[in-house]
Amino acid sequence: MIDLRSDTLTAPTDEMRRAMARAEVGDDVYDEDPTVRLLQERVAGLFGHEAALFAPTGSMANVLAVRTVVGVGEEVLCEASAHIARAELGAHTAYTGLGMRTWRGDGGGIDREAIAEMFAPDLGPFFVPTKAISVENTHNFAGGTVQPLADLQWVRSFADEHGCAVHMDGARIWNAHVATGVPLAEYGANVDVLAVCLSKGLGAPVGSLLVGSAAAIEESRIWRKRMGGGMRQIGILAAAGLYALDHHVERLAEDHEHARMLAEAVGVDPATVPTNIVVFSVDDAASYVAEAAASGVRVSAVGARTVRLVTHLGVTREDALRAREVLAAVR
Ligand SMILES: *Cc1c(COP(=O)(O)O)cnc(C)c1O
């Protein structure tokens, strides 16, 4: 079976497991795990921010990150199919008590006019104030699309002008970086706070981080514990992340190439596939998924007529070639 349902399906490699087994550990709730501290410092540095915090999931990292800039009864603006709006089961509204309004962006992108029109200034005790704009890079449900740097810079300057913050859901920021060559620090420079995942294309079994100012991270340590996310000797998990940063970033280019190979087989122009995700329309997603699975390739339905496939560390070139053959025959 070739599994293209998600890049979360990767298993740690033998080398990664060895790095995990060797990790020096301590109690991370006491902030005494040296390997976690090393990972947090390294990731903060990559994005040019003061600090970072390990979180068990990307969803928790996003909830913690957004709540550093948006409070109860305030709102964040994001794209309509953003992961924070569609895929975190309402965590932001449930835990933080914030509101969300969405714009519909072409390819999950940034619609400058819509944002400018939706933005709500703080007018005192009458209206919900916009406190942050959230952008997803790469954009998952739009098909791994990359937010152009010029758009991110526009959001940064719009937010500065209007006194609101910028959050980035950078679960796959590594893919954006490898696809475009834009330095991670450049992405970091255009946001106040961001969340990144180690457990997707980078191939770690667990782990995400939020990245931001020292004050935001200090506050988030408390909230992480409050939410039940205070973990102990997790240097073994951080070691997987450090290993992934050393060995699994540049290779994402292979995943991108494999995704473009598969695009053609499902009727998508490869030129429109910048990273490792292909989203395409079919008549009936459920029956498409079943038929592909019966031929040995697993893909996922992400809508009634929408199917998604994702390439990753566990998909070899041989797998991609075989999946291409199988999918070309499914209709
Ligand atoms: C996977 C993902 C997350 C986090 O998901 P978890 O399963 O909670 O780790 C956040 N944002 C995007 C865009 C994602 O694809």
Side-chain angles (χ1 to χ4, degrees):
M1 201 53 115
I2 298 166
D3 206 334
L4 304 175
R5 287 174 301 166
S6 174
D7 47 6
T8 57
L9 291 155
T10 53
T13 62
D14 288 345
E15 293 77 13
M16 182 183 277
R17 286 170 190 262
R18 276 196 279 277
M20 295 170 75
R22 279 196 305 266
E24 218 186 305
V25 299
D27 189 324
D28 183 55
V29 171
Y30 288 81
D31 201 11
E32 288 175 4
D33 188 303
T35 311
V36 174
R37 293 180 67 122
L38 197 64
L39 174 68
Q40 289 174 165
E41 277 163 31
R42 180 161 168 193
V43 171
L46 286 174
F47 292 96
H49 281 257
E50 286 173 350
L53 184 71
F54 190 92
T57 64
S59 297
M60 192 188 283
N62 271 334
V63 170
L64 291 171
V66 173
R67 70 149 302 290
T68 65
V69 285
V70 185
V72 180
E74 300 174 339
E75 74 174 5
V76 55
L77 305 181
C78 63
E79 203 276 328
S81 58
H83 199 278
I84 64 165
R86 253 203 91 186
E88 289 165 18
L89 302 172
H92 298 261
T93 47
Y95 294 122
T96 306
L98 53 71
M100 267 184 202
R101 278 190 302 146
T102 61
W103 74 86
R104 188 163 285 286
D106 201 20
I110 288 156
D111 183 332
R112 300 182 188 192
E113 259 172 55
I115 292 169
E117 193 173 305
M118 290 167 75
F119 177 82
D122 196 340
L123 295 174
F126 296 100
F127 301 106
V128 176
T130 304
K131 291 294 180 178
I133 300 165
S134 177
V135 293
E136 188 172 311
N137 195 21
T138 67
H139 196 297
N140 181 344
F141 297 120
T145 47
V146 177
Q147 306 294 349
L149 189 57
D151 284 341
L152 296 171
Q153 288 164 338
W154 179 86
V155 171
R156 173 76 277 168
S157 61
F158 179 89
D160 285 346
E161 227 172 273
H162 292 82
C164 84
V166 182
H167 162 258
M168 180 181 283
D169 178 352
R172 295 187 181 81
I173 192 69
W174 325 103
N175 297 81
H177 161 66
V178 168
T180 60
V182 171
L184 294 170
E186 188 80 42
Y187 285 131
N190 286 290
V191 302
D192 295 285
V193 64
L194 78 155
V196 303
C197 287
L198 304 167
S199 55
K200 301 266 167 88
L202 294 194
V206 179
S208 289
L209 293 103
L210 60 145
V211 183
S213 68
I217 295 305
E218 196 181 315
E219 186 185 311
S220 297
R221 285 190 76 82
I222 296 167
W223 275 91
R224 182 183 65 172
K225 186 74 170 72
R226 185 168 285 141
M227 291 169 72
M231 300 173 290
R232 304 297 177 172
Q233 287 73 20
I234 52 171
I236 51 171
L237 302 178
L242 287 164
Y243 181 89
L245 291 174
D246 285 336
H247 300 280
H248 292 171
V249 176
E250 296 310 321
R251 66 150 303 285
L252 292 170
E254 284 171 43
D255 297 345
H256 301 171
E257 195 192 328
H258 294 159
R260 283 191 292 272
M261 281 167 50
L262 290 161
E264 218 156 2
V266 297
V268 171
D269 179 359
T272 65
V273 175
T275 59
N276 67 327
I277 303 179
V278 184
V279 171
F280 55 102
S281 299
V282 295
D283 288 339
D284 178 348
S287 72
Y288 185 97
V289 167
E291 204 184 316
S295 309
V297 177
R298 300 179 93 170
V299 294
S300 47
V302 293
R305 295 161 148 260
T306 312
V307 174
R308 186 190 72 171
L309 64 84
V310 188
T311 55
H312 53 79
L313 184 61
V315 178
T316 63
R317 186 171 190 83
E318 209 172 55
D319 292 337
L321 287 165
R322 202 179 118 49
R324 180 166 73 174
E325 238 171 79
V326 167
L327 295 176
V330 178
R331 267 300 127 217

